[in-house]
Amino acid sequence: MMTSFDARLRLRGQGGLPLGVEIDLTGDRMRVTADGTFVANWALHEIAISPQGDGFHIEAEGEEVILNLIDPEKFATEIGIHNRNLPPRP
């Protein structure tokens, strides 16, 4: 089963407008696309996801990105984060 989320993505510490992306969670993977262009494809067990006040911080491949989601509660449930303070909706 695939679950999709609309989100905004930015690199940690970078200003400017965030990139509009689509997040697809299928099985144990997170796929990120922007306007149909592949951005990332991570195995969930290979990344660290931390909900913080400014979004979901994702550490992968030596980089950190921040995601802001329209439905942070559903995203947290899908990736298995429970009983934590979730970031606000954008």
Side-chain angles (χ1 to χ4, degrees), residues 2-3 10 15-16 21-23 26 31 44 51-52 54 73 86 90:
M2 179 175 76
T3 305
R10 68 185 189 285
V21 296
E22 183 175 304
I23 307 296
T26 303
R31 292 173 181 85
L44 290 175
Q52 297 185 26
D54 62 346
E73 296 87 3
L86 299 179

Side-chain angles (χ1 to χ4, degrees), residues 18-72:
L19 178 65
V21 296
E22 183 175 304
I23 307 296
D24 289 322
L25 298 176
T26 303
D28 67 343
R29 302 205 66 83
M30 178 186 295
R31 292 173 181 85
V32 183
T33 57
D35 293 327
T37 301
F38 170 80
V39 175
N41 184 1
W42 300 307
L44 290 175
H45 71 273
E46 295 177 344
I47 62 177
I49 303 173
S50 173
Q52 297 185 26
D54 62 346
F56 287 91
H57 287 236
I58 299 176
E59 293 181 44
E61 301 171 3
E63 297 288 333
E64 184 173 350
V65 298
I66 302 169
L67 286 177
N68 296 105
L69 291 111
I70 300 300
D71 193 347

